[in-house]
Amino acid sequence: MSSLLPTATGTLEATPLLNLAIYVLDHQLTGTLVLEESDGQKHAVYFLNGAATKVRTAAPIAFLGQVIVEHGSITEEIRGQTFAEAQASQTLHGAALLAAGAVDEFTLREALREQITRKLLYLPGLPGETVYGYYDHIDFL
């Protein structure tokens, strides 16, 4: 991901993800935790003052539009239209949803929280041999 050296490294077998997250929270760290599986798939979590604010998983876990559809705030048709608009204009789907008036800022924020939560809940299921590197004060996402 970078030629930068991580501040801390290890495996999830030696240090489970929950322990890492508690350490980051207790110390109110800001930086990126990169997780790499043995097959090369990479996942990352960006922490700001100890709180996870961005999560990227190698596999798609929770699409924002789908989360909003599941909450009943938009229809599948609106999801599809705004997603196509976002792709065409190379913007984020959330921005396209706001621009179209399909959701308000509160609904978008709640859906983003739900999306982050779902992605975070996926990560503890990674194999124990998954290696991690924590990069202090670096935002890879």
Side-chain angles (χ1 to χ4, degrees), residues 52-55 111-121:
T53 60
K54 301 179 205 174
V55 182
L112 287 167
R113 279 192 192 107
E114 175 69 20
Q115 182 187 40
I116 287 173
T117 300
R118 290 183 189 186
K119 289 180 177 185
L120 286 171
L121 289 172

Side-chain angles (χ1 to χ4, degrees), residues 13-79:
E13 184 173 55
T15 310
L17 186 60
L18 182 57
N19 293 29
L20 293 169
I22 290 170
Y23 184 88
V24 169
L25 179 61
D26 282 348
H27 292 84
Q28 296 185 349
L29 298 179
T30 295
T32 304
L33 179 67
V34 178
L35 304 152
E36 185 171 355
E37 295 184 65
S38 59
D39 63 2
Q41 291 190 80
K42 290 184 181 178
H43 316 273
V45 181
Y46 177 71
F47 294 93
L48 178 62
N49 299 323
T53 60
K54 301 179 205 174
V55 182
R56 179 164 296 148
T57 55
I61 299 303
F63 290 110
L64 179 63
Q66 193 57 43
V67 170
I68 298 173
V69 168
E70 290 172 13
H71 285 184
S73 299
I74 62 171
T75 64
E76 184 61 39
E77 182 181 353
I78 291 171
R79 185 212 57 81

